[in-house]
């Protein structure tokens, strides 16, 4: 509107004088408009307008504090024009307000909560113009307070763009108050008013929702990317002024699901989100606590969690603060509906109640539900859709940088008090602790501390600390390495005892076939590591029984140095039902998918399948599970090498399992006398004279024996008296049918 002259009038009602608005007729101005009131060529004041039918057209009414501030008198002519705010620069970040009782006689000594006052202030005056030194009256707890605006700071524009806060204070003369502004109350110097709460101190709102966190100070390591992703998805919309969010038609994210292996920091992260937002103390609920044996009680427990948020939303609308509800072990209460056979249906109604509270017909906009689980597959899918727990974040095992951060966090105190020896290299420990979760790294530090303390305990009849030495207590590199070897083993990853037992006699390279198999294995390992086109590589080692297939598979796996190596072996599944066996195999593969580089050895496939030639009989359930898992590529960015072993290639061919492997390597038996002699020489069990006698018997003859069986026969023969050892060994070979003197070997 073009500037026009209007006459100053008195505010028509007491109620309107508390709105801090200039009051005009509907014929002149619209409610919610901002206007500039020019009293002299150099004096201008900005007001927000409210309309009322009792105001005479052509006049504009002001309350007494407004007239006092702007130096207006009744009947004075003023020039009125519309004022437009620049939303990117004039949104109020923080407003500092001096407060006092309006009338001294109404003063009392009871404390006033400045946090609640701030919430009420924002509810009353949101979307209004505020200028420095402005005076107004504020009604709170049925008391009238006089307020003076001391300072107005703009919201940091970099935060609105999604960048880290610059930290610069940007003072402005006029700003537009919105739901995310922070109000700081300071009592007037001579006032007897008592203020309590945070809003009486200066604490800039931008720093509360600052994406540039110091995670180490918060005790979180290795989750920087996840934290900033959660911030971008869940909180960026809550930093913006509500009217901009409304104009975009944008809805806040109401739910986050954190999932991943145990001990990776899900609960810790949820706790820190509560602190980061400076919202109310989050409500933390352990899933099983909700359930109650009485009908309807479990649902009532869910309703209680949301009651405060509902009440505040009704009272304050869009200006309501954020309520955070954290469900630990959410899979306990949100299982797939209809999945629990024979149950009372309590689980189903609890899920229904939770769904309707988060995003039902009467939806709440002031809540953030954070669920945590290590079994996302169990959760009802209706809960996972957008609008409910829509941000799904995998909190996986930390990478090497993450492990450095975590170890630094847990050793910070020791470093501060100089209890950590100079030879402890955190980077070396991070390299050694592949596939350790955050909790396991913390356990490692504790174990190293215990080892160090144990050195200073006198081993006499009574347990006492050697105080002289205890003064010089230092946790050394040796303590960490000892704990790594003996105390802490990662739940996900490599259990060295597992495959060490398969290669306890080392690999005996009795000929080219063994060397070729190991070389091919190394190539496949390199392919898995380096090729982005083939994230899944599978190889089958096949050959006669006792030819050393499992030892070669274990050797290839060990040499790969992959952080996750697991052997899926039939000896771990004795007595398992078919379904239990399928689940055990699936779990090994699921765990493998959680690591960047994994190797799974599927040993003795025909035993896993319960195959026997009589019948013939095998487990179709396990076969189908293997067919699926051997072909299923790992998730994006992960690599998997599968090494299978079998003695019955023909059976696997009939079962169509051979085609599930990318490639096959044949592991033969020893087939020539020369190969047998090579193996004996490498083992060094017989003396040279004995070896010469054996060579005489086997040279140029056909031999057929697996290296594993050969080892067994050698050890049996070695138990005899020295002069009978050679003859015993040769007779054992003939008994086994391994030495055929009639036929020369055909290669």
């Amino acid at each position: 509107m073009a500037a026009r002259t209007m006459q100053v009038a008195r505010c028509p009602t007491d109620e309107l004088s508390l709105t801090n608005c200039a009051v005009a007729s509907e014929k002149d101005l619209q409610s919610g408009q901002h206007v500039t009131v020019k009293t002299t060529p150099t004096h201008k004041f900005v007001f927000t307008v409210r309309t009322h039918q009792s105001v005479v057209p052509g006049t504009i009414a002001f309350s007494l504090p407004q007239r006092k501030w702007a130096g207006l008198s009744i009947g004075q002519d003023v020039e009125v024009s519309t004022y437009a705010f620049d939303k990117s620069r004039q949104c109020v970040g923080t407003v500092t307000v001096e407060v006092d009782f309006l009338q001294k006689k109404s003063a009392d000594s009871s404390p006033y909560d400045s946090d609640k006052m701030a919430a009420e202030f924002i509810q009353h005056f949101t979307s209004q113009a505020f200028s420095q030194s402005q005076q107004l009256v504020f009604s709170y707890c049925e008391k009238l307070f006089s307020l003076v605006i001391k300072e107005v700071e703009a919201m940091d524009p970099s935060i609105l763009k999604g960048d880290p806060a610059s930290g610069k204070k940007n003072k402005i003369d006029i700003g537009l108050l919105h739901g995310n502004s922070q109000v700081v109350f300071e009592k007037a110097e001579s006032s007897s008013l008592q203020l309590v709460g945070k809003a009486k101190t200066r604490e800039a709102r931008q720093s509360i929702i600052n994406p540039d966190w110091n995670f180490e100070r918060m005790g979180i390591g290795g989750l920087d990317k996840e934290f900033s992703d959660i911030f971008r998805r869940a909180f960026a919309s809550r930093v913006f002024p509500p009217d901009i969010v409304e104009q975009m038609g944008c809805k806040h994210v109401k739910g986050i699901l954190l999932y991943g292996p145990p001990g990776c920091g899900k609960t810790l992260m949820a706790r820190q989100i509560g602190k980061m937002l400076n919202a109310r103390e989050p409500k933390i609920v352990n899933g099983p606590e909700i359930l109650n044996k009485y009908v309807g009680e479990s649902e009532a427990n869910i309703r209680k969690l949301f009651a405060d948020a509902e009440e505040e939303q009704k009272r304050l609308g869009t200006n309501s603060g954020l309520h955070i509800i954290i469900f630990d072990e959410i899979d306990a209460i949100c299982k797939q509906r209809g999945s629990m056979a024979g149950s009372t249906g309590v689980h189903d109604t609890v899920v229904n109640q939770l769904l309707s509270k988060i995003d039902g017909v009467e939806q709440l906009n002031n809540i953030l539900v954070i669920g945590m689980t290590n079994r996302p597959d169990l959760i009802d899918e209706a809960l996972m859709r957008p609008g409910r727990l829509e941000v799904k974040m995998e909190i996986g095992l930390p990478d090497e940088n993450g492990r450095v951060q975590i170890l630094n966090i847990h050793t910070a105190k020791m470093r501060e008090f100089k209890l950590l020896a100079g030879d402890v290299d955190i980077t070396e420990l991070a390299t050694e602790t592949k596939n350790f979760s955050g909790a396991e790294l913390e356990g490692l530090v504790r174990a190293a501390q215990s080892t160090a303390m144990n050195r200073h305990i006198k081993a006499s009849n009574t347990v006492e600390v050697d105080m002289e030495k205890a003064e010089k207590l230092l946790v050394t590199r040796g303590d960490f390495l000892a704990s790594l070897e003996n105390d802490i083993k990662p739940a996900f990853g490599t259990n060295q005892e597992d495959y060490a037992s398969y290669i306890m006699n080392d690999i005996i390279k009795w000929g080219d076939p063994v060397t070729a198999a190991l070389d091919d294995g190394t190539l496949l390992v390199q392919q898995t590591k380096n090729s982005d086109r083939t994230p899944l590589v599978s190889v089958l080692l096949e050959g006669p029984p006792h030819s050393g297939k499992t030892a070669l598979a274990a050797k290839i796996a060990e040499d790969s140095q992959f952080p996750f190596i697991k052997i899926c072996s039939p000896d771990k599944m004795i007595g398992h039902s078919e379904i239990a066996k399928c689940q055990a195999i699936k779990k090994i593969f699921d765990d493998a998918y959680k690591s960047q580089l994994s190797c799974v050895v599927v040993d003795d496939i025909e035993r896993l399948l319960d195959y026997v030639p009589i019948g013939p009989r095998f487990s179709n359930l396990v076969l189908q599970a293997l067919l699926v898992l051997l072909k299923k590529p790992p998730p994006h960015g992960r690599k998997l090498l599968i090494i299978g072993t079998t003695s019955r290639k023909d059976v696997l061919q009939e079962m169509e399992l051979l085609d599930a492997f990318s490639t096959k390597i044949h592991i033969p038996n020893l087939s020539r006398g020369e190969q047998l002699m090579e193996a004996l020489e490498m083992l060094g069990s017989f003396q040279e004279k004995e070896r010469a006698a054996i060579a005489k018997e086997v040279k140029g003859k056909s031999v057929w024996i697996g290296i594993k069986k050969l080892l067994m026969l050698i050890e049996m023969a070695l138990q005899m008296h020295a002069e009978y050892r050679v003859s015993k060994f040769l007779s054992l070979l003939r008994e086994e049918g391994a030495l055929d003197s009639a036929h020369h070997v055909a290669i």
Side-chain angles (χ1 to χ4, degrees):
M1 124 184 159
R4 54 179 290 189
T5 305
M6 297 179 83
Q7 211 173 50
V8 174
R10 187 179 275 111
C11 193
T13 67
D14 286 349
E15 198 181 323
L16 282 168
S17 69
L18 294 175
T19 60
N20 188 41
C21 290
V23 189
S25 164
E26 284 176 4
K27 292 175 183 167
D28 294 329
L29 297 164
Q30 295 167 357
S31 249
Q33 238 181 330
H34 309 295
V35 293
T36 305
V37 176
K38 201 170 183 183
T39 55
T40 69
T42 53
H43 289 86
K44 286 190 264 187
F45 301 90
V46 177
F47 292 96
T48 304
V49 175
R50 181 79 68 90
T51 57
H52 197 264
Q53 72 271 15
S54 65
V55 179
V56 180
T59 65
I60 183 162
F62 297 95
S63 67
L64 180 62
Q66 288 171 324
R67 296 200 302 274
K68 210 164 140 189
W69 168 54
L72 298 165
S73 53
I74 307 290
Q76 180 184 345
D77 284 343
V78 288
E79 201 179 285
V80 178
S81 56
T82 50
Y83 182 86
F85 276 98
D86 178 347
K87 296 263 175 81
S88 67
R89 285 204 294 269
Q90 286 184 290
C91 280
V92 174
T94 310
V95 58
T96 310
V97 184
E98 190 178 85
V99 57
D100 196 2
F101 293 108
L102 183 65
Q103 296 163 318
K104 294 286 180 253
K105 64 179 183 205
S106 68
D108 63 14
S109 57
S110 55
Y112 287 88
D113 187 332
S114 57
D115 294 330
K116 288 182 181 164
M117 270 174 104
E120 203 94 352
F121 183 92
I122 284 175
Q123 190 199 0
H124 279 319
F125 302 124
T126 194
S127 300
Q128 283 195 27
F130 279 92
S131 309
Q132 203 166 338
S133 76
Q134 185 174 340
Q135 297 172 21
L136 61 147
V137 177
F138 174 47
S139 167
Y140 175 72
C141 288
E142 298 176 2
K143 279 252 168 42
L144 293 178
F145 295 89
S146 87
L147 306 181
V148 179
I149 306 298
K150 299 296 282 180
E151 193 179 89
V152 183
E153 268 177 39
M155 179 168 273
D156 190 336
S158 54
I159 272 219
L160 298 179
K161 292 178 200 149
D163 299 333
S166 62
K168 283 191 294 194
K169 287 188 178 179
N170 185 11
K171 291 184 185 174
I172 48 174
D173 293 328
I174 302 167
L176 185 67
L177 192 79
H178 57 82
N180 277 329
S181 301
Q182 192 185 12
V183 184
V184 177
F185 284 109
E186 292 175 354
K187 68 171 191 149
E189 274 181 33
S190 57
S191 174
S192 59
L193 177 70
Q194 271 194 48
L195 287 180
V196 293
K198 283 185 195 150
K200 70 176 194 297
T201 56
R202 175 166 292 279
E203 192 177 313
R205 187 176 184 98
Q206 285 94 317
S207 68
I208 296 163
I209 314 183
N210 181 355
D212 190 21
W213 272 93
N214 178 345
F215 292 98
E216 298 202 10
R217 196 178 63 239
M218 291 163 68
I220 296 181
L223 295 176
D224 303 34
K225 183 188 173 296
E226 286 83 348
F227 218 102
S228 51
D229 282 356
I230 287 176
F231 180 87
R232 178 177 58 81
R233 290 293 313 280
F235 305 129
S237 64
R238 295 182 188 273
V239 184
F240 271 71
D243 53 341
I244 296 181
V245 173
E246 215 166 282
Q247 285 162 21
M248 287 178 75
C250 167
K251 282 185 176 175
H252 298 311
V253 165
K254 292 186 208 152
I256 301 173
L257 181 72
L258 303 177
Y259 66 93
C264 286
K266 298 184 293 293
T267 311
L268 179 65
M269 199 167 190
R271 241 183 265 135
Q272 296 301 352
I273 287 172
K275 286 182 190 170
M276 168 183 122
L277 280 177
N278 200 22
R280 285 161 196 74
E281 196 59 32
K283 292 181 182 174
I284 298 181
V285 188
N286 290 325
E289 288 175 3
I290 290 288
L291 302 176
N292 193 301
K293 63 179 178 180
Y294 296 112
V295 174
E297 277 297 309
S298 305
E299 296 88 314
N301 287 343
I302 294 276
R303 286 196 293 276
K304 274 178 209 156
L305 291 173
F306 292 89
D308 292 349
E310 274 179 335
E311 184 271 325
E312 192 170 314
Q313 178 142 323
K314 277 180 193 156
R315 195 162 49 84
L316 298 180
T318 52
N319 299 320
S320 166
L322 183 64
H323 293 252
I324 298 176
I325 301 166
I326 296 173
F327 284 95
D328 207 357
E329 308 304 339
I330 195 168
D331 52 284
I333 54 169
C334 291
K335 284 192 171 64
Q336 289 278 358
R337 284 171 289 180
S339 64
M340 299 190 66
S343 76
T344 55
V346 170
H347 272 94
D348 295 3
T349 50
V350 168
V351 176
N352 293 340
Q353 181 70 73
L354 191 59
L355 294 177
S356 64
K357 279 294 170 202
I358 299 176
D359 189 26
V361 179
E362 289 184 7
Q363 58 180 17
L364 296 166
N365 213 18
N366 59 345
I367 53 162
L368 180 66
V369 176
I370 304 174
M372 287 166 289
T373 179
N374 40 30
R375 293 295 305 276
D377 50 306
L378 296 180
I379 295 174
D380 193 274
E381 62 220 20
L383 196 63
M384 313 278 265
R385 72 154 173 79
R388 288 172 182 154
L389 299 185
E390 67 178 270
V391 178
K392 290 176 268 302
M393 187 65 61
E394 182 176 6
I395 310 296
L397 297 167
D399 59 9
E400 196 164 315
N401 288 339
R403 293 196 294 274
V404 169
Q405 282 184 18
I406 294 166
L407 287 164
N408 277 328
I409 288 165
H410 293 303
T411 55
K413 209 129 195 203
M414 290 193 281
R415 212 174 293 113
E416 187 188 332
F417 293 103
K418 307 220 172 1
L419 294 173
L420 198 65
D423 63 352
V424 176
D425 180 358
I426 296 294
T427 317
E428 179 201 13
L429 287 174
T431 313
E432 289 296 315
T433 49
K434 291 189 184 88
N435 274 31
F436 272 61
S437 67
E440 284 159 349
L441 289 168
E442 188 185 353
L444 173 69
V445 174
R446 277 204 303 267
Q449 289 165 340
S450 312
T451 312
M453 287 173 183
N454 204 41
R455 284 202 300 275
H456 301 298
I457 293 174
K458 287 180 188 168
S460 56
N461 295 340
T462 57
V463 176
E464 55 184 85
V465 178
D466 188 339
M467 288 313 287
E468 285 174 32
K469 285 186 185 169
E471 296 293 319
K472 298 169 191 159
L473 176 67
L474 269 186
V475 182
T476 64
R477 176 175 177 267
D479 296 327
F480 276 100
L481 296 181
S483 303
L484 203 54
E485 207 167 304
N486 307 319
D487 300 328
I488 309 290
K489 294 278 181 268
F492 297 89
T494 313
N495 189 352
Q496 252 166 326
E497 287 96 46
D498 246 16
Y499 56 77
S501 60
Y502 295 112
I503 32 179
M504 59 187 176
N505 297 313
D506 208 359
I507 300 295
I508 297 135
K509 294 181 184 172
W510 46 263
D512 295 342
V514 182
T515 317
L518 285 171
D519 290 347
D520 285 352
T522 309
L523 280 177
L524 291 165
V525 167
Q526 292 307 321
Q527 181 188 340
T528 312
K529 263 187 199 167
N530 304 328
S531 167
D532 290 328
R533 291 184 173 183
T534 53
L536 173 70
V537 176
S538 54
V539 56
L540 179 69
L541 305 187
E542 51 82 18
H546 312 304
S547 56
K549 299 177 294 296
T550 305
L552 282 167
K555 181 69 175 164
I556 293 166
E558 185 186 34
D559 289 351
S560 74
Q561 292 288 301
F562 282 6
F564 182 99
I565 300 170
K566 271 279 192 293
I567 295 186
C568 175
S569 165
D571 60 9
K572 304 252 171 53
M573 300 182 198
I574 295 169
H576 278 27
S577 67
E578 283 185 289
I579 290 172
K581 206 179 259 194
C582 287
Q583 284 170 340
I585 297 169
K586 184 176 181 295
K587 184 175 185 319
I588 289 174
F589 277 84
D590 283 347
D591 288 352
Y593 298 144
K594 287 170 185 160
S595 178
Q596 301 294 323
L597 273 174
S598 315
C599 175
V600 174
V601 177
V602 186
D603 189 29
D604 215 351
I605 293 174
E606 64 275 16
R607 278 295 67 71
L608 275 175
L609 294 171
D610 299 332
Y611 169 78
V612 281
I614 309 159
R617 145 108 180 76
F618 67 92
S619 163
N620 193 34
L621 264 179
V622 178
L623 172 64
Q624 298 305 329
L626 278 176
L627 281 169
V628 171
L629 291 168
L630 289 172
K631 291 180 184 173
K632 182 185 171 187
H636 181 67
R638 314 276 162 94
K639 310 277 190 78
L640 175 62
L641 170 65
I642 303 170
I643 307 172
T645 71
T646 183
S647 307
R648 295 299 305 261
K649 182 184 171 187
D650 54 328
V651 172
L652 265 53
Q653 177 78 60
E654 282 182 45
M655 292 178 181
E656 297 180 355
L657 197 55
L658 272 191
D659 299 333
F661 288 93
S662 340
T663 183
K664 292 163 260 316
I665 298 174
H666 179 64
I667 311 296
N669 274 347
L670 287 82
S671 55
R672 300 203 306 265
E674 287 76 11
Q675 290 173 339
L676 179 71
M677 291 317 298
E678 183 76 24
L680 287 179
E681 201 167 318
M682 288 189 75
L683 284 163
S685 307
F686 291 107
Q687 288 167 6
E688 206 167 323
K689 198 166 61 177
E690 293 171 320
R691 282 206 299 277
I694 296 168
K696 204 171 161 186
E697 287 292 323
V698 299
K699 267 272 166 66
K701 290 185 181 171
S702 160
V703 173
W704 190 250
I705 189 165
I707 187 73
K708 205 167 157 191
K709 177 68 83 173
L710 179 65
L711 271 171
M712 186 61 67
L713 300 186
I714 291 169
E715 290 305 311
M716 281 172 73
L718 289 176
Q719 308 312 310
M720 301 290 289
H721 195 273
E723 59 195 86
Y724 304 118
R725 293 201 308 199
V726 172
S727 56
K728 179 64 179 171
F729 174 64
L730 292 168
S731 72
L732 284 169
L733 275 179
R734 289 192 185 94
E735 280 168 28
E736 283 293 330
L739 183 61
D740 181 8
S741 50
H743 299 93
H744 281 277
V745 65
I747 302 169

